[in-house]
Amino acid sequence: MPIIEHPADAVPYAPDIPRSYEPFRPAWSSQAPLTVSLLLHAPRYADPVPAGSHKPLAMQGGVGRETGEPRPGQVARLSQWDFGLTTGIFRLLDIADRYGVPAAVALDSHSAALPGLGRALGERAGEIAARGAAANMVLDPAMDAAAEHAYITASVDAVQAATGRRITGWFSPERTSTPRTTALLAAEGITWFGDWTLDEVPAALSGDAAGLTALPFSLETEDMFALYARGLPFEDYEQLLDDTVDQLLEDARSSGQRFLGLSWFGWVLGQACFADVAESFLGRLAARPDVVFALPSDVLLQPAAAAGAVRP
């Protein structure tokens, strides 16, 4: 008898994930021990949230210990998120440029609507991804299919129009999704998304989401999660990043290539007090001969990898 019995009507949350297990990894495009993709986030905090939108249960930023969705007009919280758009995201792009690290930038509909921002980031970023409507307007299983489809297409269209760049990547605000999301992304022409931390290698999805790759942008190494949700001291966060790279490279020697998705926010690591973490870490990483950098859209699975995967 199994230790855990699942209800007969249980449906896997993500039924389109093919499974592969150590040490039988399917091949993918990287030949380096460790491939790193840097994704910089430039979301806007909607204030107030339009009626009918779905809000997260909690949001980081602002002052005090309250992390729930605040009353409209909290200037401290709004200004902190806006700092990421006026200053922080460009500071991180400058740091990446100094070390020759290609960076993708994710915008949402609200940030793309700000005058000049989309154009400026479209000119600077190696790749542009869409990340929904706003930082605090999320996907929710309570949405019907038409509403979710409209949410995704509106975001992709707005970001493409503002940046002048074709969008093939997606990162949901607060990493939210529904059981329909992957199929809708694939139908929209999206080729990768970064919401799931399911592995340390890319995973090609199957079924209705065929053609879509899940790139695991680690939650533990995300600056907002580590520094705000966990409250990790910034010097410990830098050590966490170094330890992650060391372990991934050690595992790559015995189990095959690894992928590290770095998810950084302009309003977090782009602050002056945290920027030296990005500076020193990217400098060390760029000097390592066993690490290569790639834009998310360049991290491709070989056809044999997708065909040979086993469905759950």
Side-chain angles (χ1 to χ4, degrees):
M1 172 177 277
I3 297 175
I4 299 175
E5 292 188 1
H6 297 285
D9 60 348
V11 177
Y13 177 72
D16 297 321
I17 301 177
R19 301 288 199 244
S20 64
Y21 304 99
E22 303 282 16
F24 305 105
R25 292 292 190 191
W28 56 294
S29 58
S30 178
Q31 298 302 311
L34 178 61
T35 298
V36 177
S37 282
L38 176 62
L39 179 63
L40 306 177
H41 297 265
R44 194 179 189 197
Y45 197 110
D47 184 65
V49 174
S53 300
H54 295 272
K55 301 189 295 184
L57 296 177
M59 289 296 295
Q60 302 301 323
V63 296
R65 297 184 60 82
E66 171 58 42
T67 58
E69 179 70 8
R71 297 182 302 276
Q74 283 199 0
V75 177
R77 184 174 300 223
L78 298 174
S79 63
Q80 186 175 34
W81 280 78
D82 279 352
F83 169 86
L85 306 178
T86 61
T87 306
I89 193 70
F90 295 100
R91 176 175 284 145
L92 291 176
L93 283 169
D94 287 343
I95 292 171
D97 284 347
R98 278 199 287 277
Y99 295 105
V101 175
V105 173
L107 291 88
D108 54 37
S109 301
H110 278 59
S111 59
L114 294 172
L117 179 65
R119 183 179 66 253
L121 292 176
E123 293 172 352
R124 289 287 308 274
E127 179 179 352
I128 297 290
R131 53 164 289 130
N136 54 337
M137 295 170 61
V138 300
L139 291 167
D140 191 283
M143 303 170 80
D144 61 30
E148 185 174 2
H149 178 258
Y151 178 101
I152 290 171
T153 56
S155 175
V156 171
D157 290 348
V159 174
Q160 285 187 153
T163 62
R165 303 282 293 275
R166 181 169 176 264
I167 304 303
T168 61
W170 177 270
F171 199 106
S172 299
E174 298 297 295
R175 299 177 185 251
T176 54
S177 61
T178 81
R180 293 182 300 262
T181 303
T182 53
L184 290 172
L185 291 175
E188 189 65 23
I190 300 299
T191 61
W192 67 268
F193 73 112
D195 301 339
W196 295 347
T197 58
L198 73 168
D199 210 325
E200 293 170 352
V201 296
L205 274 61
S206 57
D208 291 340
L212 187 63
T213 295
L215 293 182
F217 280 84
S218 168
L219 184 62
E220 299 298 331
T221 58
E222 181 181 279
D223 57 354
M224 183 170 66
F225 181 78
L227 296 170
Y228 280 81
R230 285 200 181 281
L232 200 66
F234 75 90
E235 63 271 18
D236 291 351
Y237 176 60
E238 184 173 357
Q239 185 64 55
L240 179 151
L241 294 173
D242 286 332
D243 290 347
T244 297
V245 170
D246 290 343
Q247 185 65 57
L248 291 175
L249 286 169
E250 181 178 338
D251 291 347
R253 286 190 284 271
S254 60
S255 302
Q257 294 90 349
R258 285 303 200 264
F259 172 84
L260 173 62
L262 290 175
S263 175
W264 290 351
F265 284 73
W267 73 270
V268 182
L269 219 58
Q271 295 184 55
C273 58
F274 293 142
D276 60 339
V277 173
E279 179 96 36
S280 58
F281 175 68
L282 284 185
R284 289 192 298 276
L285 206 56
R288 300 194 68 145
D290 44 6
V291 173
V292 299
F293 294 94
L295 292 169
S297 62
D298 292 331
V299 180
L300 303 175
L301 291 171
Q302 296 177 2
V310 178
R311 287 180 61 103

